[in-house]
């Protein structure tokens, strides 16, 4: 069967894993929500063939899970090559996302099996039910991720504001976008990790 790849479907899909999400929420009950998937996964599957695609997907899944868990996050659910994860605050979510991108950095440069992961992160209040999370902020995180390009970590304005002063991180100039389902435009920015010896100025 064809592996479906849709961040928006993942945002509303039945849960697969059941971490104690209420325990990782911040003091105000909010969480940082991360969505990721592989850009152009259907085309990549076609190019590689099913057997090689399944092997690549296993490596991708292991790398994403490892980065999420190392930074204190929890995988909420998965679908195909898509992941939804929750963190207690924005900084570990962003550092997890950057670790995921580093894991695929060499594959980004060349080769028939180049893996380009797109990641979006938003932070806000959510509705907890049966160890799953719902609500407009979950939908907004999914839509931020859907705007990201392969190799990018795209964050909402609430995440960008929370990262002020975080060492080793830099953001591009925010840009205004219109997200599906929201009346007012919002600002998003790409975040990067500075290399050692690089100034933020």
């Amino acid at each position: 069967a064809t592996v479906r790849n849709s961040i928006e479907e993942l945002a509303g899909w039945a849960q697969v894993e059941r971490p104690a999400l209420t325990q990782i929420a911040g003091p105000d009950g909010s969480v940082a929500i991360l969505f990721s998937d592989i850009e152009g996964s259907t085309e990549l599957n076609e190019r590689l063939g099913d057997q090689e695609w399944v092997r690549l997907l296993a490596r991708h899944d292991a790398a994403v899970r490892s980065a999420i868990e190392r930074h204190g996050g929890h995988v909420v659910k998965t679908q195909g090559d898509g992941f939804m994860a929750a963190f207690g605050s924005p900084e570990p979510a962003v550092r997890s996302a950057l670790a995921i991108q580093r894991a695929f950095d060499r594959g980004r440069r060349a080769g028939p099996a180049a893996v380009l992961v797109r990641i979006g992160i938003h932070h806000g209040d959510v509705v907890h039910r049966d160890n799953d999370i719902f609500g407009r902020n979950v939908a907004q995180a999914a839509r931020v991720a859907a705007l990201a390009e392969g190799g990018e970590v795209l964050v909402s304005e609430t995440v960008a504001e929370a990262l002020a002063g975080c060492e080793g991180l830099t953001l591009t100039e925010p840009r205004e976008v219109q997200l599906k389902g929201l009346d007012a435009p919002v600002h998003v920015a790409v975040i990067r990790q500075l290399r050692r010896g690089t100034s933020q100025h």
Side-chain angles (χ1 to χ4, degrees), residues 17-91:
E17 306 194 16
R18 302 172 63 87
L21 292 172
T22 55
Q23 296 178 13
I24 70 163
D28 61 355
S30 63
V31 296
I33 307 145
L34 177 153
F35 280 91
S36 77
D37 72 353
I38 298 174
E39 183 181 65
S41 60
T42 301
E43 294 81 0
L44 187 57
N45 187 356
E46 285 285 332
R47 190 161 66 248
L48 296 177
D50 288 341
Q51 289 187 344
E52 184 58 33
W53 167 252
V54 169
R55 286 194 287 269
L56 183 149
L57 198 59
R59 295 194 297 272
H60 162 267
D61 290 0
V64 172
R65 285 181 184 276
S66 175
I68 290 169
E69 291 168 5
R70 284 200 318 272
H71 291 85
H74 292 271
V75 175
V76 180
K77 47 195 172 186
T78 64
Q79 180 179 0
D81 58 292
F83 274 78
M84 174 182 174
F87 297 78
S89 61
E91 184 179 356

